[in-house]
Amino acid sequence: MQLFLDTAEIDLLGELAETGLVDGVTTNPSLIAKSGRNFLSTVAEIAELVAGPVSAEVAATDFPTMMLEGRKLAGIAPNVVVKLPLTLDGLRATREFAMEGISTNVTLCFSLPQALLAAKAGATYVSPFIGRLDDFGAEGGELINEIRAVYDQYDFDTEILAASIRNPAHVRAAALAGADCATLPPPVFRELVKHPLTTSGLKQFSEDWAATGQSIL
Ligand code: E4P
């Protein structure tokens, strides 16, 4: 399972990328707005920092402008993935980009029928939003299960990119459901490594080691 970072904050990204555990990055207009940075130069910087796929979202909602924006974004670097909303115009653009060999990430997916359409359009990735579904009173993790079953049943190649992840439990649910990738805000990425028994166990080992008075180096 690939782990992406859901951020446009270059500093946070750089720190975590150094671990070698970051397989890609996703951004969206809200994350760009929050960063206060220039969209196009930020995408270029991220695409240089991380070798894996970097999703950059179109701002347009109509097909012709989506095509123009998407081509421009795809031209920034070979690892840029054009992110498109799950609308009829977005799916039409997805299909066109697929025919042109441009990778896409169909975003704002909240139902199995929507995911089916994204796959039929030839999306490289589909992004079901787990956290927002949970906020809505639905079961986000269950949607990943459903999409996995249907994609496998019909041999769709579209990769399931679990998005809107709010905590490690969401990552667990996505992994158990067979998501191909999950995109995590940096704080959630850092949370993944933590367990109270790891912390207390390490403290005990350090204290016991210090008591020996030895040094390995
Ligand atoms: C990623 O591609 C999505 O844009 C993102 O995960 C949305 O997360 P949010 O629901 O926390 O805004």
Side-chain angles (χ1 to χ4, degrees), residues 155-166:
D155 265 341
F156 284 123
D157 292 333
T158 300
E159 293 197 27
I160 303 171
L161 200 180
S164 187
I165 299 258
R166 304 275 161 77

Side-chain angles (χ1 to χ4, degrees), residues 17-37:
E18 280 175 1
T19 65
L21 296 170
V22 177
D23 299 304
V25 176
T26 54
T27 62
N28 65 36
S30 306
L31 292 172
I32 293 293
K34 192 174 150 206
S35 76
R37 296 172 58 98

Side-chain angles (χ1 to χ4, degrees), residues 14 19 21 25 91-92 105 109 116 119 171 207 212 214:
T19 65
L21 296 170
V25 176
L91 292 172
R92 186 178 164 198
N105 174 0
C109 174
L116 185 60
V171 179
E207 286 169 6
T212 70
Q214 298 181 52

Side-chain angles (χ1 to χ4, degrees), residues 20-187:
L21 296 170
V22 177
D23 299 304
V25 176
T26 54
T27 62
N28 65 36
S30 306
L31 292 172
I32 293 293
K34 192 174 150 206
S35 76
R37 296 172 58 98
N38 174 274
F39 179 35
L40 299 178
S41 60
T42 300
V43 171
E45 266 189 74
I46 296 175
E48 207 167 293
L49 207 61
V50 177
V54 176
S55 290
E57 188 161 342
V58 299
T61 54
D62 65 285
F63 169 73
T65 319
M66 280 179 182
M67 292 304 297
L68 293 174
E69 291 183 354
R71 285 200 188 99
K72 182 163 181 178
L73 293 172
I76 293 176
N79 55 334
V80 169
V81 173
V82 179
K83 203 170 176 193
L84 297 144
L86 215 156
T87 60
L88 282 180
D89 284 58
L91 292 172
R92 186 178 164 198
T94 299
R95 190 169 165 69
E96 284 288 326
F97 285 129
M99 288 191 288
E100 291 179 19
I102 291 176
S103 300
T104 54
N105 174 0
V106 174
T107 189
L108 292 166
C109 174
F110 295 96
S111 74
L112 177 61
Q114 286 183 317
L116 185 60
L117 290 176
K120 283 182 70 66
T124 314
Y125 301 96
V126 66
S127 290
F129 276 36
I130 301 191
R132 290 194 198 185
L133 270 173
D134 282 1
D135 296 346
F136 194 64
E139 179 47 61
E142 188 46 37
L143 175 59
I144 310 273
N145 269 316
E146 290 179 5
I147 300 173
R148 179 76 284 152
V150 169
Y151 278 12
D152 287 350
Q153 187 173 331
Y154 293 100
D155 265 341
F156 284 123
D157 292 333
T158 300
E159 293 197 27
I160 303 171
L161 200 180
S164 187
I165 299 258
R166 304 275 161 77
N167 50 53
H170 280 155
V171 179
R172 181 176 185 270
L176 284 172
D180 298 287
C181 353
T183 188
L184 282 53

Side-chain angles (χ1 to χ4, degrees), residues 184-196:
L184 282 53
V188 177
F189 202 101
R190 289 183 185 283
E191 277 300 308
L192 288 191
V193 78
K194 294 182 189 164
H195 192 286

